[in-house]
């Protein structure tokens, strides 16, 4: 069963808290990734949290590469189709 959470009385305050905590969230993620890189460089075993952050960044980077490649292929296909149509 999905637990029920009470909605805050002031949704604006809730959004404000969420936005205010965002820089700290990303700073923590950057610190974890830096710790992972430091662990690899200094030949120590990274923590599970550091490994998870590194894995998450690799997956995100891979997805961005695939997405960029897909856009390039689509753009080239449209260009090729235009050129084929212009030749006829």
């Amino acid at each position: 069963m999905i637990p029920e959470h009470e909605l805050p009385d002031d949704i604006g305050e809730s959004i404000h808290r969420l936005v205010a905590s965002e820089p700290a969230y990303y700073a923590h993620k950057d610190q974890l990734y830096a710790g992972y890189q430091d662990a690899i460089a200094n030949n120590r075993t990274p923590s599970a949290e550091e490994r998870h952050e590194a894995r998450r960044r690799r997956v995100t980077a891979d997805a961005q590469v695939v997405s960029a490649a897909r856009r390039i292929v689509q753009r080239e296909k449209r260009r090729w189709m235009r050129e084929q149509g212009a030749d006829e």
Side-chain angles (χ1 to χ4, degrees):
M1 186 169 134
I2 298 172
E4 292 186 25
H5 298 284
E6 299 231 0
L7 292 175
D9 292 334
D10 183 7
I11 197 76
E13 178 63 29
S14 177
I15 291 170
H16 177 71
R17 270 196 316 268
L18 180 66
V19 169
S21 68
E22 189 176 17
Y25 172 80
Y26 286 109
H28 177 67
K29 295 295 187 178
D30 289 343
Q31 186 177 26
L32 286 174
Y33 188 66
Y36 175 82
Q37 291 177 321
D38 182 61
I40 299 302
N42 293 323
N43 219 14
R44 73 170 173 81
T45 305
S47 71
E49 199 175 13
E50 291 169 342
R51 283 193 312 271
H52 177 74
E53 178 58 21
R55 186 177 313 114
R56 187 188 67 78
R57 286 187 184 214
R58 275 194 306 273
V59 167
T60 301
D62 290 348
Q64 289 171 340
V65 167
V66 168
S67 178
R70 185 175 293 127
R71 284 192 304 271
I72 290 168
V73 168
Q74 289 171 346
R75 186 175 54 234
E76 288 300 308
K77 182 179 178 183
R78 285 192 301 269
R79 183 183 63 79
W80 184 80
M81 295 297 282
R82 276 194 313 272
E83 288 175 0
Q84 293 300 314
D87 290 343
E88 293 177 11

